[in-house]
Amino acid sequence: NIIITNAFHIIATLVDQVELEINESIIGAVIGPSGKSIVDIQQFSCARIQISKKGTFSPGTRNRIVTIQGPPKAISTAK
């Protein structure tokens, strides 16, 4: 049990999260047709990428919020 807990803690500390803002006018290029571009980016980078729902913007802007999670190298590659 201690080993599993320690291993989980080590894995959890290696995952970071970054938020970016992407203008609504170009978010379609990030997502791609049927989501293909974002899937490709996730597979290539090994990062998890989430985009705020349509109509949900960063306050005072028309920018969608893009959240990238993963190890630092994966985040850097996804950016």
Side-chain angles (χ1 to χ4, degrees):
N1 191 17
I2 293 172
I3 294 172
I4 294 171
T5 303
N6 287 342
F8 176 75
H9 178 69
I10 291 169
I11 291 169
T13 59
L14 296 177
V15 176
D16 289 336
Q17 176 173 307
V18 172
E19 287 187 350
L20 305 173
E21 293 184 19
I22 305 289
N23 191 275
E24 173 75 1
S25 65
I26 62 169
I27 201 70
V30 175
I31 297 170
S34 301
K36 183 175 178 356
S37 295
I38 196 165
V39 168
D40 288 347
I41 294 167
Q42 289 181 105
Q43 289 178 342
F44 180 75
S45 67
C46 297
R48 182 171 187 257
I49 303 171
Q50 290 185 297
I51 299 175
S52 62
K53 293 182 181 186
K54 192 172 187 174
T56 303
F57 304 113
S58 180
T61 72
R62 298 279 301 170
N63 297 334
R64 303 270 289 275
I65 301 166
V66 178
T67 305
I68 307 172
Q69 296 175 319
K73 184 173 181 178
I75 291 173
S76 177
T77 301
K79 283 181 176 181

